[in-house]
Each structure stands twice: as structure tokens, then as C-alpha cells.
Amino acid sequence: DSGVTQTPKHLITATGQRVTLRCSPRSGDLSVYWYQQSLDQGLQFLIQYYNGEERAKGNILERFSAQQFPDLHSELNLSSLELGDSALYFCASSVEPGMNTEAFFGQGTRLTVV
Amino acid sequence: GQQVMQIPQYQHVQEGEDFTTYCNSSTTLSNIQWYKQRPGGHPVFLIQLVKSGEVKKQKRLTFQFGEAKKNSSLHITATQTTDVGTYFCSYTDKLIFGTGTRLQVFP
């Protein structure tokens, strides 16, 4: 158990809909990262937060948004969903941003858009 | 922009054979991390390399950071079926991952 909790584990929704994925980081971790992993593909970096503030953005679509709340949990909002958004979405957390500490990953949320 | 290539993309080996994956950057890296993702699982941190020419070992796994800090390798000696998975290198403080190398081990 990595200590990072992601909910829900599975989500099936229709095209055009909006969903929210939730991530609770490990206790004490201030930095949260979101990734998209399509079937048999690599980990595409979406966005990073540190202590409530957006720190870095990757190839995140305009239809996607995220935020980190004062209690440090984070939510990834995906709207106007398309079939191609079907993927595994991972959240990771670390004590601090940067490369000095390891990141811990949640189990992921598998999103299926039908 | 910075580009990091990970090779090979796939590797199939017989159990007992060695395996190596490489992470090559077009620019100097401050440090590098390696992660392993088992099939159906999530990435798990393996190690971090910081110094030029650094070599670290974990049992049958040997990690190296190049002298110029532009490349890194992960070598597994005498693979076992438990080594199956995808190995990713990670670079920059955004925790961006390389494309990964998927290892399949046949018994």
C-alpha cells in the first residue's frame, strides 16, 4: 500500500459527460502529480501541484482541469469526454517537488468512455 | 526541448538471461529515477541516481548514471519471472517519464 488513495477505481461514462477523479496523497506529502496512461502506453504527465498551487503543466487538454485543496487532496476534472479519453489515470505524491524524493503512486482510476 | 528516449521499447528474454534498458537524454540531467510497473499495477520507485558515473546495486539490479549525466541504464542479471513489467526512467522535477521498456520473461 503506497498510502496514496484514488477514487473511484473504475468509472464508465458516456461521451460528452464530465467526471471528477479524486486523489488523497500520502500523509505529509505536499506535492501531487497527475498522469494519463492509455492502453499499453507510457505515462503522460498532465499537471503538478505543490501545497495548493499549480507548479507545472504537461500536455493537459483544455477540457481537463485540476486543483489541490487546503487539505492537500486533489481532483482532476475531465469534461466533454471523448472515446479517446479512456485510460488509466494515476495520481502520485511526494514530500516536495523535484527529484530529491521518491514519488508514490495510487492504484489509478480506470476511465472508460462509451 | 529536452528529449529522453528509452530503449528498447520491448524486450523478451528467457528466464536466466540478462536484460538492460537505457535512458538517453539530449541534455544533461540533474538526476534520474527509475520506476517499475508490474502488469495491472502502478509504478513503484526503484532508485535515484544523482552523481556523474554513479553505480548502485539492488540484488540483481544494477543502475548506472553516465559520466556526462545524459544517459542511464538499468541492468538485470539472471532475470526471473518476477522481473516482468515495464521499467521507466524519470527526469526533471516535474517527474516526467520516459517511454518505458516492457520486459517479458519466459520460463
Side-chain angles (χ1 to χ4, degrees):
Chain A
D1 181 11
S2 66
V4 178
T5 304
Q6 286 188 251
T7 56
K9 285 189 171 50
H10 302 276
L11 197 50
I12 301 175
T13 190
T15 54
Q17 294 298 304
R18 172 190 170 95
V19 297
T20 298
L21 312 184
R22 182 187 169 102
C23 170
S24 294
R26 273 191 341 150
S27 176
D29 285 358
L30 299 179
S31 196
V32 169
Y33 312 79
W34 284 98
Y35 297 87
Q36 179 192 59
Q37 186 173 45
S38 300
L39 189 62
D40 295 336
Q41 297 296 311
L43 291 157
Q44 297 299 318
F45 169 71
L46 296 178
I47 199 163
Q48 177 197 5
Y49 282 86
Y50 175 67
N51 205 18
E53 299 290 326
E54 180 184 306
R55 193 167 187 275
K57 252 184 178 178
N59 296 324
I60 187 167
L61 299 172
E62 285 191 12
R63 300 183 286 109
F64 296 2
S65 65
Q67 60 184 122
Q68 186 178 28
F69 294 86
D71 67 352
L72 300 177
H73 90 271
S74 179
E75 293 181 355
L76 178 66
N77 300 297
L78 315 175
S79 61
S80 302
L81 285 168
E82 302 174 359
L83 295 178
D85 297 326
S86 296
L88 195 52
Y89 290 84
F90 283 109
C91 162
S93 74
S94 66
V95 172
E96 57 180 288
M99 294 289 289
N100 295 323
T101 56
E102 65 184 276
F104 295 85
F105 280 76
Q107 300 289 335
T109 293
R110 183 168 296 283
L111 173 66
T112 303
V113 182
V114 297
Chain B
Q2 184 175 50
Q3 291 188 351
V4 174
M5 300 298 295
Q6 210 173 329
I7 55 172
Q9 193 174 359
Y10 301 98
Q11 184 82 59
H12 298 171
V13 300
Q14 202 74 35
E15 190 173 20
E17 291 182 338
D18 292 356
F19 159 76
T20 305
T21 174
Y22 300 89
C23 194
N24 299 315
S25 171
S26 57
T27 59
T28 301
L29 303 171
S30 57
N31 46 31
I32 198 161
Q33 295 181 340
W34 284 92
Y35 289 76
K36 176 185 178 181
Q37 183 178 20
R38 293 181 187 274
H42 59 277
V44 175
F45 175 82
L46 293 176
I47 208 153
Q48 176 172 284
L49 304 171
V50 179
K51 300 176 185 174
S52 168
E54 187 170 16
V55 178
K56 286 187 176 180
K57 291 191 176 185
Q58 289 179 349
K59 297 183 180 178
R60 295 178 294 103
L61 277 61
T62 302
F63 304 84
Q64 289 190 311
F65 204 5
E67 292 291 341
K69 299 183 76 173
K70 285 188 175 182
N71 53 70
S72 180
S73 65
L74 158 58
H75 179 81
I76 302 178
T77 304
T79 55
Q80 300 176 358
T81 55
T82 53
D83 296 324
V84 165
T86 302
Y87 293 83
F88 293 98
C89 61
S90 173
Y91 58 96
T92 80
D93 63 358
K94 300 185 192 65
L95 206 62
I96 292 177
F97 286 80
T99 48
T101 295
R102 182 182 298 176
L103 173 65
Q104 182 62 261
V105 179
F106 296 106

Coordinates of all heavy atoms in Angstrom, one line a residue, chain B residues 9-59:
Chain B
Q9 N 12.0 -0.6 -26.6 CA 10.6 -0.5 -26.2 C 10.1 -1.7 -25.6 O 9.3 -1.7 -24.6 CB 9.8 -0.1 -27.5 CG 8.4 0.4 -27.1 CD 7.6 0.9 -28.4 OE1 8.2 0.9 -29.5 NE2 6.4 1.3 -28.2
Y10 N 10.5 -2.9 -26.2 CA 10.1 -4.2 -25.7 C 11.3 -5.1 -25.6 O 12.3 -4.9 -26.4 CB 9.1 -4.9 -26.6 CG 7.8 -4.1 -26.8 CD1 7.6 -3.3 -27.9 CD2 6.8 -4.2 -25.9 CE1 6.5 -2.6 -28.1 CE2 5.6 -3.5 -26.1 CZ 5.4 -2.7 -27.2 OH 4.3 -2.0 -27.4
Q11 N 11.3 -6.0 -24.7 CA 12.4 -7.0 -24.6 C 11.8 -8.3 -24.1 O 11.1 -8.3 -23.0 CB 13.5 -6.5 -23.7 CG 14.7 -7.4 -23.6 CD 15.6 -7.2 -24.8 OE1 16.2 -6.1 -25.0 NE2 15.9 -8.3 -25.5
H12 N 12.0 -9.3 -24.9 CA 11.5 -10.7 -24.4 C 12.8 -11.5 -24.1 O 13.7 -11.6 -25.0 CB 10.7 -11.4 -25.5 CG 9.4 -10.6 -25.8 ND1 8.6 -11.0 -26.9 CD2 8.8 -9.6 -25.2 CE1 7.6 -10.2 -26.9 NE2 7.7 -9.3 -25.9
V13 N 12.9 -12.1 -23.0 CA 14.1 -12.9 -22.6 C 13.7 -14.2 -22.0 O 12.5 -14.3 -21.5 CB 15.0 -12.1 -21.6 CG1 15.5 -10.8 -22.2 CG2 14.3 -11.9 -20.3
Q14 N 14.6 -15.1 -22.1 CA 14.4 -16.4 -21.4 C 14.8 -16.2 -20.0 O 15.8 -15.5 -19.7 CB 15.2 -17.5 -22.1 CG 14.8 -18.9 -21.9 CD 13.6 -19.3 -22.7 OE1 13.4 -18.8 -23.8 NE2 12.7 -20.1 -22.2
E15 N 14.1 -16.9 -19.1 CA 14.4 -16.8 -17.7 C 15.9 -17.2 -17.5 O 16.4 -18.2 -18.1 CB 13.5 -17.7 -16.9 CG 13.7 -17.5 -15.4 CD 12.6 -18.3 -14.6 OE1 12.1 -19.3 -15.1 OE2 12.4 -17.9 -13.4
G16 N 16.6 -16.4 -16.8 CA 18.1 -16.6 -16.6 C 19.0 -15.7 -17.4 O 20.1 -15.6 -17.1
E17 N 18.4 -15.2 -18.5 CA 19.2 -14.3 -19.3 C 19.2 -12.9 -18.7 O 18.4 -12.5 -17.8 CB 18.5 -14.2 -20.7 CG 18.6 -15.4 -21.5 CD 18.0 -15.3 -22.9 OE1 17.2 -14.4 -23.1 OE2 18.4 -16.1 -23.8
D18 N 20.2 -12.1 -19.1 CA 20.3 -10.7 -18.6 C 19.5 -9.8 -19.4 O 19.1 -10.1 -20.6 CB 21.8 -10.3 -18.7 CG 22.7 -11.0 -17.7 OD1 22.1 -11.9 -16.9 OD2 23.9 -10.8 -17.7
F19 N 19.2 -8.6 -18.9 CA 18.4 -7.6 -19.5 C 18.9 -6.2 -19.2 O 19.4 -6.0 -18.1 CB 16.9 -7.7 -19.0 CG 16.1 -6.5 -19.2 CD1 15.6 -6.2 -20.4 CD2 15.8 -5.7 -18.1 CE1 14.8 -5.0 -20.6 CE2 15.0 -4.5 -18.3 CZ 14.5 -4.2 -19.5
T20 N 18.9 -5.4 -20.2 CA 19.4 -4.0 -20.0 C 18.4 -3.0 -20.7 O 18.1 -3.2 -21.8 CB 20.8 -3.7 -20.5 OG1 21.7 -4.7 -19.9 CG2 21.3 -2.3 -20.1
T21 N 18.0 -2.0 -20.0 CA 17.3 -0.9 -20.6 C 18.1 0.4 -20.5 O 18.8 0.6 -19.4 CB 15.9 -0.8 -20.0 OG1 15.2 0.4 -20.6 CG2 15.9 -0.6 -18.5
Y22 N 17.9 1.3 -21.5 CA 18.7 2.5 -21.5 C 17.8 3.7 -21.5 O 16.8 3.7 -22.2 CB 19.6 2.5 -22.7 CG 20.6 1.4 -22.7 CD1 20.3 0.2 -23.4 CD2 21.9 1.5 -22.2 CE1 21.2 -0.9 -23.4 CE2 22.8 0.4 -22.2 CZ 22.4 -0.8 -22.8 OH 23.3 -1.8 -22.9
C23 N 18.3 4.8 -20.9 CA 17.5 6.0 -20.9 C 18.5 7.1 -21.4 O 19.6 7.3 -20.8 CB 17.1 6.4 -19.5 SG 15.9 7.6 -19.3
N24 N 18.3 7.7 -22.5 CA 19.2 8.6 -23.2 C 18.6 10.0 -23.3 O 17.5 10.1 -23.9 CB 19.6 8.1 -24.5 CG 20.3 6.7 -24.4 OD1 21.2 6.5 -23.6 ND2 19.9 5.8 -25.3
S25 N 19.3 11.0 -22.9 CA 18.8 12.4 -22.9 C 19.6 13.2 -23.9 O 20.8 13.0 -24.1 CB 18.9 13.0 -21.5 OG 18.6 14.4 -21.6
S26 N 18.9 14.2 -24.5 CA 19.6 15.1 -25.4 C 20.3 16.2 -24.6 O 21.2 16.9 -25.1 CB 18.6 15.7 -26.4 OG 17.6 16.4 -25.7
T27 N 20.0 16.3 -23.3 CA 20.6 17.4 -22.5 C 21.0 16.7 -21.2 O 20.6 15.6 -20.8 CB 19.6 18.5 -22.2 OG1 18.4 18.0 -21.5 CG2 19.2 19.2 -23.5
T28 N 21.8 17.5 -20.4 CA 22.3 17.0 -19.1 C 21.2 16.9 -18.1 O 20.4 17.8 -18.0 CB 23.4 17.9 -18.6 OG1 24.5 17.9 -19.6 CG2 24.0 17.4 -17.3
L29 N 21.1 15.8 -17.4 CA 20.1 15.6 -16.4 C 20.7 15.9 -15.0 O 21.8 15.6 -14.7 CB 19.6 14.2 -16.4 CG 19.0 13.7 -17.8 CD1 18.8 12.2 -17.7 CD2 17.8 14.5 -18.1
S30 N 19.9 16.5 -14.2 CA 20.3 16.8 -12.8 C 20.4 15.5 -12.0 O 21.3 15.3 -11.2 CB 19.4 17.8 -12.1 OG 18.1 17.3 -12.1
N31 N 19.4 14.7 -12.2 CA 19.4 13.4 -11.6 C 18.4 12.5 -12.3 O 17.7 13.0 -13.2 CB 19.2 13.4 -10.1 CG 18.1 14.3 -9.7 OD1 17.1 14.5 -10.5 ND2 18.2 14.9 -8.5
I32 N 18.3 11.3 -12.0 CA 17.3 10.4 -12.6 C 16.8 9.4 -11.7 O 17.5 9.0 -10.7 CB 18.0 9.7 -13.8 CG1 17.0 9.2 -14.8 CG2 19.0 8.6 -13.4 CD1 17.5 8.9 -16.2
Q33 N 15.5 9.0 -11.9 CA 14.9 8.0 -11.0 C 14.5 6.8 -12.0 O 14.2 7.1 -13.1 CB 13.7 8.6 -10.3 CG 14.1 9.6 -9.3 CD 12.9 10.1 -8.5 OE1 11.7 10.0 -8.9 NE2 13.1 10.7 -7.3
W34 N 14.4 5.7 -11.4 CA 13.8 4.5 -12.1 C 12.6 3.9 -11.3 O 12.7 3.9 -10.1 CB 14.9 3.4 -12.2 CG 15.9 3.7 -13.3 CD1 17.1 4.4 -13.1 CD2 15.9 3.4 -14.7 NE1 17.8 4.4 -14.3 CE2 17.1 3.9 -15.3 CE3 14.9 2.7 -15.5 CZ2 17.4 3.7 -16.6 CZ3 15.2 2.6 -16.8 CH2 16.4 3.1 -17.4
Y35 N 11.6 3.6 -12.1 CA 10.4 3.0 -11.6 C 10.1 1.7 -12.3 O 10.4 1.6 -13.5 CB 9.2 4.0 -11.7 CG 9.3 5.2 -10.8 CD1 10.1 6.2 -11.1 CD2 8.5 5.3 -9.7 CE1 10.2 7.3 -10.3 CE2 8.5 6.4 -8.8 CZ 9.4 7.4 -9.2 OH 9.5 8.5 -8.3
K36 N 9.4 0.8 -11.6 CA 8.9 -0.4 -12.2 C 7.4 -0.5 -12.1 O 6.8 -0.2 -11.0 CB 9.5 -1.6 -11.6 CG 9.0 -3.0 -12.1 CD 9.5 -4.1 -11.3 CE 8.9 -5.4 -11.8 NZ 9.5 -6.6 -11.1
Q37 N 6.7 -0.8 -13.2 CA 5.3 -1.0 -13.2 C 4.9 -2.4 -13.6 O 5.2 -2.8 -14.7 CB 4.6 0.0 -14.1 CG 3.0 -0.1 -14.1 CD 2.4 0.9 -15.0 OE1 3.0 1.4 -15.9 NE2 1.1 1.2 -14.7
R38 N 4.4 -3.2 -12.6 CA 4.0 -4.6 -12.9 C 2.7 -4.5 -13.8 O 2.0 -3.6 -13.7 CB 3.8 -5.4 -11.7 CG 5.0 -5.6 -10.8 CD 4.7 -6.5 -9.6 NE 5.8 -6.6 -8.7 CZ 6.7 -7.5 -8.8 NH1 6.6 -8.4 -9.8 NH2 7.7 -7.6 -7.9
P39 N 2.5 -5.6 -14.6 CA 1.2 -5.6 -15.3 C 0.0 -5.4 -14.4 O -0.1 -6.1 -13.4 CB 1.2 -7.0 -16.0 CG 2.7 -7.3 -16.0 CD 3.3 -6.7 -14.8
G40 N -0.8 -4.5 -14.8 CA -2.0 -4.2 -14.0 C -1.8 -3.4 -12.7 O -2.7 -3.2 -11.9
G41 N -0.5 -3.0 -12.5 CA -0.2 -2.3 -11.3 C 0.2 -0.8 -11.5 O -0.1 -0.3 -12.6
H42 N 0.7 -0.2 -10.5 CA 1.1 1.2 -10.6 C 2.6 1.3 -10.5 O 3.3 0.4 -10.0 CB 0.4 2.0 -9.4 CG 0.8 1.5 -8.1 ND1 0.1 0.5 -7.5 CD2 1.7 1.9 -7.2 CE1 0.6 0.3 -6.3 NE2 1.6 1.1 -6.1
P43 N 3.2 2.4 -11.0 CA 4.6 2.5 -10.9 C 5.1 2.5 -9.4 O 4.5 3.1 -8.6 CB 4.9 3.8 -11.6 CG 3.7 4.0 -12.5 CD 2.6 3.5 -11.7
V44 N 6.3 1.9 -9.2 CA 6.9 1.8 -7.9 C 8.3 2.3 -8.0 O 9.0 1.8 -8.9 CB 6.8 0.4 -7.3 CG1 7.6 0.3 -6.0 CG2 5.4 0.0 -7.1
F45 N 8.7 3.2 -7.2 CA 10.1 3.7 -7.2 C 11.1 2.6 -6.9 O 10.9 1.8 -6.0 CB 10.2 4.8 -6.1 CG 11.5 5.4 -5.9 CD1 12.0 6.4 -6.7 CD2 12.3 4.9 -4.9 CE1 13.2 6.9 -6.5 CE2 13.6 5.4 -4.7 CZ 14.1 6.5 -5.5
L46 N 12.2 2.6 -7.7 CA 13.2 1.7 -7.5 C 14.5 2.4 -6.9 O 15.0 1.9 -5.9 CB 13.7 1.0 -8.8 CG 12.6 0.1 -9.5 CD1 13.1 -0.4 -10.8 CD2 12.3 -1.1 -8.6
I47 N 14.9 3.5 -7.6 CA 16.1 4.1 -7.2 C 16.3 5.5 -7.8 O 15.6 5.8 -8.7 CB 17.3 3.2 -7.6 CG1 18.5 3.4 -6.6 CG2 17.7 3.5 -9.0 CD1 19.4 2.2 -6.6
Q48 N 17.2 6.3 -7.2 CA 17.5 7.6 -7.7 C 19.1 7.7 -7.8 O 19.8 7.2 -6.9 CB 17.0 8.7 -6.8 CG 17.5 10.1 -7.2 CD 16.9 11.2 -6.4 OE1 15.7 11.5 -6.6 NE2 17.6 11.8 -5.5
L49 N 19.5 8.2 -8.9 CA 20.9 8.4 -9.2 C 21.2 9.9 -9.3 O 20.4 10.6 -10.0 CB 21.4 7.7 -10.5 CG 21.1 6.2 -10.5 CD1 21.4 5.7 -11.9 CD2 21.9 5.5 -9.5
V50 N 22.2 10.4 -8.7 CA 22.5 11.9 -8.7 C 23.8 12.2 -9.2 O 24.0 13.2 -10.0 CB 22.3 12.4 -7.2 CG1 22.6 13.9 -7.2 CG2 21.0 12.1 -6.7
K51 N 24.8 11.4 -8.9 CA 26.2 11.8 -9.2 C 26.7 11.3 -10.6 O 26.3 10.2 -11.0 CB 27.2 11.3 -8.2 CG 26.9 11.9 -6.8 CD 27.8 11.2 -5.8 CE 27.5 11.6 -4.4 NZ 28.3 10.9 -3.4
S52 N 27.5 12.0 -11.3 CA 28.1 11.6 -12.5 C 28.8 10.3 -12.3 O 29.6 10.1 -11.4 CB 29.0 12.7 -13.0 OG 29.8 12.2 -14.1
G53 N 28.5 9.3 -13.2 CA 29.2 8.0 -13.1 C 28.7 7.1 -12.0 O 29.3 6.0 -11.7
E54 N 27.7 7.5 -11.3 CA 27.2 6.7 -10.1 C 26.7 5.3 -10.5 O 26.1 5.2 -11.6 CB 26.1 7.5 -9.4 CG 25.6 6.9 -8.1 CD 24.7 7.9 -7.3 OE1 24.2 8.8 -7.9 OE2 24.5 7.6 -6.1
V55 N 27.0 4.4 -9.7 CA 26.5 3.0 -9.9 C 25.9 2.5 -8.6 O 26.5 2.7 -7.5 CB 27.7 2.0 -10.3 CG1 27.2 0.6 -10.4 CG2 28.3 2.5 -11.6
K56 N 24.7 2.0 -8.7 CA 24.1 1.5 -7.5 C 23.5 0.1 -7.8 O 23.1 -0.2 -8.9 CB 22.9 2.4 -7.0 CG 23.3 3.7 -6.4 CD 22.1 4.4 -5.8 CE 22.6 5.7 -5.1 NZ 21.4 6.4 -4.5
K57 N 23.5 -0.8 -6.8 CA 23.1 -2.1 -7.0 C 22.0 -2.4 -6.0 O 22.0 -2.0 -4.8 CB 24.2 -3.1 -6.8 CG 25.2 -3.0 -7.9 CD 26.2 -4.2 -7.9 CE 27.2 -4.1 -9.1 NZ 28.0 -5.3 -9.2
Q58 N 21.0 -3.2 -6.5 CA 19.9 -3.7 -5.6 C 19.8 -5.2 -6.0 O 19.1 -5.5 -7.0 CB 18.6 -3.0 -5.8 CG 18.5 -1.6 -5.3 CD 17.1 -1.0 -5.6 OE1 16.3 -1.5 -6.4 NE2 16.9 0.2 -5.1
K59 N 20.4 -6.1 -5.3 CA 20.4 -7.5 -5.6 C 20.8 -7.7 -7.0 O 21.9 -7.5 -7.4 CB 19.0 -8.1 -5.3 CG 18.6 -8.0 -3.8 CD 17.2 -8.6 -3.5 CE 16.9 -8.4 -2.0 NZ 15.6 -9.0 -1.7

